[in-house]
Structures are given as structure tokens and as C-alpha cells.
Amino acid sequence: MKIRKITGLLMTVVILCMTGCSEFSRKPLNYTGTALDTVINIQIFDSHDEELTKHCQKMCEEYEAKFSRTIETSEIAQINAASGAPVEVSDDTVTLIKKGIYYCDMSDGAFDITIGSVTSLWDFKANEPVPPAPEVLAEAATHVNYRKISIDGNTVRLLDPAAKLDLGAIAKGYIADRIKEYLRSKGVRHALINLGGNVLAIGGKQSGSPFNIGVQKPFDEGGEPITSVRIKNKSIVTSGTYQRYFEKDGALYHHILNSSSGNPCNNGLNSVTIITDSSLTADALSTTCFLLGPEAGMKLINQLDNVDAIFIDTNNELTFSRNYDK
């Protein structure tokens, strides 16, 4: 059995040639740690105030304590455990759930934040992971329906008592956007925020040139980039089959799950990369477009303003959105 997990600094996107040797008189302020079930890295190029990175770390921990479905005391876990009873939550959690519903509507339920009843059955971290029993998976999938979410002010209720929220496909993007807002409020104009491969650039290099971000070649163990993207004040996020997966009995099982069947979504794609201003938007659209498939996903991107995409199919052939500037 082959198992792939994201560990250490092996991530979906690779930061390439971020700085030249002569570009800065000192090394950037660099923080690396773990939160949000992944590795986070924040580099600030125009300040060396360590209180900034300490506060960013604290922000990640506080948001994780609200949004994680696996931390029993989190607001999401409390909603999931309430068996349909109303739960009062913070403004952040209400905002994130509403953002999730927006993308559920956009995809007509292909993307669904009540996928938690299904995702809880898949354990990609296990030493010997196995797919759930088909009948168990099928039953869990009947409880995936975002239209069963009721919001009244700061009170959230799941009208299906067996439904469960999972905001993992959008939470890191939301948090990256909040960290960007904080750093900019403190005068930072050149930084890179990397939350497990969700990369968000504040400005570009101090020289005026953009950051160069590599998109990983699917299933390449060394993390070799298949292409790269030059960004300023943009976020780049990839959703791919190779980020978390295992192989058993000749079949590959990955973490991007079909909301109707509960099984991994197999539609000829290896990954979808989104480039746009908001990390939450990039996060949500990368998963949404993967679930929609290559044709419907690219059609959606080509209808949106200020959003670019790179689709990589199972032959590692690249397709770029209409307005993508190569």
C-alpha cells in the first residue's frame, strides 16, 4: 500500500527564487510552524519585528480553535454535535459558513460544506488506511445537503441532525486573508503567507518584481514544479489528487470527495490551481472547479472577472483559462 501525506515543507506550491542574494541587506523575517493540520510559513521582507509573526501564529491557532471539525471544543464541532439544535457562534464562523454556502450555490451542490458526514469516514492519516464500506458511505452521503443549514444572526442550526459541517476547503483561505489584513494594517507591504500550500502575496519583491511560485508536478515525490506563476498581491491555491491519498488493491483514493457518492472525485483531473486576489476565493474555487470537472470548471472560471486557472489532467497536460497571461 502506498500512502501520501503532506508533511514537513512538502507542499502543493513551491516558492521559487523568492529573493536574490543582493536584494535584501538582511534575511527576511521568517516563521515556520504547524497549525490548521499543516505546515505554515510566513515571510516578511520589510520588517524584522518578531511580534508580527507571533501574532500571526496566534491568529492561526485561534481560528483553528473555531473552525476545526476535529477539535471537540471548536464552534464547528459544537454545531456538528448538536443533533440539529441551534448553536451560537462567532462572527468569523458565521461569515465563513455564509461564504461556503455561496460556493455551494455557485456549483449547485457539487461543492458542499456539509460533506463532514462523509469526510469523517475517510482517514488518510492512518498507517493502513482503507476505504469506508460502500453501504456506510452511501448512507452518510444522504446527509450531505447544504440547504439544510439554517442561520439566524449568529445562531447556526443543521436541519438534518445527522449532517456535519466541514470547512476544510475554505478555512485556510479565509485565515490567509485575515493575516494579510493584519500585516497590512501594521505597515507590511512585502510578504508571503503560506498556509499548507495556500500562498498569498502581499505586494511583490522589494525590487518591484513579482514573486515566482511553482505549481507542483502531480505525484512528483521531489516536489518538482510543472509550471510557475508570477504574482503580486495575489493568492495561488491548488487542489490536487496527490496531496492526500492512498493506494489499495490497485486503486487510488484521494481526499477530494464527491458530494453525491462520498467517493473520491475521478474526472480526468489531477489538480486545479486558481490565481486571484482573495485566498478564500482561490481556495473555494480550486475545490469547486475540480469537483465540477474540466469542462464545467473551466467554463465557470472563464465567466469570472480577475480569476485565472491552470487545470492539470491525469496525463499532466496543462490547460489555462482564457485570460491567463503566460
Side-chain angles (χ1 to χ4, degrees):
M1 177 184 296
K2 185 175 184 179
I3 305 171
R4 169 65 182 277
K5 306 171 186 176
I6 297 297
T7 57
L9 288 176
L10 183 59
M11 296 179 180
T12 304
V13 292
V14 182
I15 302 171
L16 302 172
C17 304
M18 293 185 303
T19 63
C21 294
S22 61
E23 188 170 349
F24 307 107
S25 58
R26 291 191 293 172
K27 290 182 179 180
L29 180 61
N30 192 328
Y31 169 77
T32 299
T34 56
L36 315 170
D37 197 29
T38 190
V39 176
I40 63 174
N41 177 252
I42 297 171
Q43 296 187 75
I44 301 173
F45 299 97
D46 54 356
S47 174
H48 288 82
D49 182 358
E50 292 186 358
E51 290 303 315
L52 297 176
T53 51
K54 288 179 181 178
H55 187 79
C56 291
Q57 178 189 7
K58 183 179 178 182
M59 289 176 69
C60 288
E61 292 169 349
E62 290 177 346
Y63 281 124
E64 182 177 29
K66 293 178 182 179
F67 300 153
S68 171
R69 69 173 177 84
T70 59
I71 297 175
E72 291 184 0
T73 56
S74 79
E75 294 179 349
I76 296 303
Q78 290 178 51
I79 294 169
N80 289 344
S83 299
V87 177
E88 188 169 352
V89 298
S90 64
D91 290 344
D92 283 311
T93 298
V94 170
T95 298
L96 187 57
I97 292 172
K98 287 181 176 179
K99 292 284 188 180
I101 292 172
Y102 173 82
Y103 289 100
C104 294
D105 280 331
M106 178 183 285
S107 66
D108 195 25
F111 175 84
D112 196 311
I113 59 172
T114 59
I115 194 74
S117 60
V118 168
T119 54
S120 61
L121 298 176
W122 292 87
D123 186 358
F124 291 92
K125 295 180 180 179
N127 291 328
E128 293 288 335
V130 295
E135 63 275 11
V136 175
L137 199 57
E139 198 282 329
T142 65
H143 301 292
V144 180
N145 185 350
Y146 74 95
R147 296 175 180 87
K148 297 292 186 178
I149 302 170
S150 173
I151 301 175
D152 182 9
N154 280 63
T155 300
V156 179
R157 180 186 174 202
L158 298 177
L159 302 180
D160 177 355
K164 294 185 185 299
L165 292 171
D166 184 339
L167 304 181
I170 54 175
K172 287 189 294 183
Y174 179 87
I175 296 166
D177 287 338
R178 301 290 78 76
I179 291 174
K180 176 182 177 179
E181 289 176 0
Y182 164 72
L183 290 176
R184 288 188 66 87
S185 74
K186 296 299 182 179
V188 173
R189 295 296 179 264
H190 305 277
L192 277 172
I193 302 159
N194 188 342
L195 305 185
N198 287 45
V199 175
L200 178 57
I202 298 177
K205 299 179 184 180
Q206 286 180 301
S207 64
S209 59
F211 296 110
N212 195 27
I213 310 296
V215 179
Q216 184 180 326
K217 182 179 180 180
F219 298 101
D220 184 86
E221 295 294 337
E224 176 186 344
I226 194 170
T227 189
S228 63
V229 179
R230 299 172 70 81
I231 60 171
K232 285 183 179 181
N233 287 314
K234 295 281 186 181
S235 182
I236 175 170
V237 179
T238 297
S239 291
T241 58
Y242 53 91
Q243 295 167 327
R244 277 178 287 162
Y245 72 91
F246 64 89
E247 295 177 4
K248 186 173 178 62
D249 299 330
L252 184 143
Y253 299 92
H254 62 81
H255 75 293
I256 307 175
L257 304 176
N258 184 292
S259 62
S260 298
S261 69
N263 285 299
C265 179
N266 295 315
N267 54 17
L269 288 173
N270 268 342
S271 71
V272 172
T273 296
I274 302 294
I275 307 101
T276 191
D277 293 343
S278 161
S279 192
L280 185 145
T281 300
D283 209 0
L285 285 176
S286 64
T287 303
T288 296
C289 290
F290 189 103
L291 291 165
L292 287 172
E295 293 184 6
M298 191 60 80
K299 180 180 179 181
L300 172 62
I301 294 301
N302 287 331
Q303 293 173 344
L304 300 175
D305 294 330
N306 195 33
V307 179
D308 292 312
I310 306 169
F311 286 30
I312 303 177
D313 67 18
T314 50
N315 295 316
N316 281 348
E317 296 293 330
L318 279 64
T319 302
F320 298 87
S321 55
R322 181 182 301 146
N323 296 319
Y324 184 87
D325 184 7
K326 299 179 186 180

